[in-house]
């Protein structure tokens, strides 16, 4: 499955880019399906910034639904590489459930135009049912569908809400 999401934020590219990169944990209140984002690590090397964050989803899931879904299905680790000279970030999401079966990567481009900043997020999500371990073979395709559905229902709205959060954040601080 291909991921293709665009967002426009009416602020200069350097401000938008820096907010996404440096203020991610402060954007949680704007993302309804995320309970928390934890900063894990940062490393600079050869002009690139490597960041690791853990995301904890399911913020607006009813408690009854959480009783039936594994917390691990709603949590993931995001590794990102920020290229400040190109205003891009490459990212890789590693789910905490079905880790070997889920492959999710992409790249965000922060483009400047006369209306502010256009963020183009492109990526792919691949679920390999053959890598789902510990379940009867007949169920793996169904489980792959559930995992893909869960991730897709989080990625697009999270990105859109995060973009709106960046807009509101920058409106407050500028």
């Amino acid at each position: 499955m291909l991921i293709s999401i665009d967002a426009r934020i009416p602020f200069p590219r350097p401000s938008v880019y820096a907010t996404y990169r440096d203020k991610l944990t402060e954007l949680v209140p704007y993302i309804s399906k995320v309970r928390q984002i934890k900063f894990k690590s940062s490393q600079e090397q050869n002009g690139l910034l490597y960041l690791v964050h853990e995301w904890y989803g399911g913020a607006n899931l009813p408690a009854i639904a959480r009783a039936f879904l594994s917390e691990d299905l709603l949590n993931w680790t995001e590794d990102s590489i920020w290229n400040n000279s190109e205003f891009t970030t490459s990212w890789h999401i590693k789910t905490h459930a079905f880790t070997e079966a889920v492959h999710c990567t992409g790249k965000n481009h922060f483009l400047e135009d006369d209306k502010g900043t256009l963020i183009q997020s492109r990526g792919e999500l691949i679920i390999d049912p053959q890598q789902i371990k510990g379940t009867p073979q007949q169920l793996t395709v169904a489980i792959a569908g559930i995992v893909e559905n869960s991730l897709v229902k989080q990625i697009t709205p999270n990105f859109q809400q995060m973009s709106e959060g960046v807009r509101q954040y920058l409106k407050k601080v500028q």
Side-chain angles (χ1 to χ4, degrees):
M1 162 178 272
L2 294 178
I3 299 166
S4 179
I5 310 164
D6 291 348
R8 186 171 302 284
I9 301 175
F11 287 93
R13 178 169 68 167
S15 299
V16 171
Y17 181 82
T19 302
Y20 267 89
R21 185 192 60 213
D22 303 334
K23 304 295 183 186
L24 184 61
T25 58
E26 296 175 44
L27 299 175
V28 171
Y30 302 102
I31 311 170
S32 67
K33 294 183 188 278
V34 174
R35 288 180 290 130
Q36 182 180 21
I37 300 172
K38 285 185 182 177
F39 169 78
K40 298 305 281 183
S41 68
S42 170
Q43 179 183 14
E44 270 191 78
Q45 187 176 3
N46 299 326
L48 301 174
L49 178 62
Y50 296 80
L51 297 176
V52 178
H53 289 89
E54 283 191 359
W55 293 64
Y56 298 88
N60 64 355
L61 277 181
I64 190 81
R66 271 196 226 122
F68 293 101
L69 291 174
S70 165
E71 282 287 315
D72 287 342
L73 187 58
L74 304 172
N75 303 332
W76 62 95
T77 300
E78 178 186 57
D79 295 305
S80 56
I81 304 170
W82 295 83
N83 185 326
N84 296 338
S85 65
E86 295 181 2
F87 289 93
T88 61
T89 181
S90 300
W91 46 267
H92 172 79
I93 292 173
K94 183 176 181 181
T95 57
H96 293 186
F98 307 112
T99 303
E100 297 81 20
V102 178
H103 175 77
C104 188
T105 62
K107 189 169 189 173
N108 297 349
H109 296 266
F110 295 76
L111 307 170
E112 194 165 40
D113 64 19
D114 59 341
K115 296 178 183 170
T117 304
L118 173 64
I119 305 160
Q120 294 178 330
S121 184
R122 303 294 183 263
E124 70 177 352
L125 170 63
I126 300 169
I127 309 289
D128 181 357
Q130 301 302 318
Q131 295 299 317
I132 298 175
K133 308 292 186 213
T135 61
Q137 192 65 19
Q138 309 90 297
L139 292 178
T140 57
V141 172
I143 291 170
I146 291 168
V147 172
E148 184 174 287
N149 190 38
S150 173
L151 289 173
V152 168
K153 284 185 176 178
Q154 291 185 58
I155 291 171
T156 300
N158 286 356
F159 182 81
Q160 292 167 337
Q161 290 175 359
M162 193 163 56
S163 296
E164 176 59 20
V166 168
R167 187 189 68 74
Q168 290 181 32
Y169 179 88
L170 288 172
K171 190 175 178 181
K172 283 184 195 174
V173 298
Q174 291 192 352

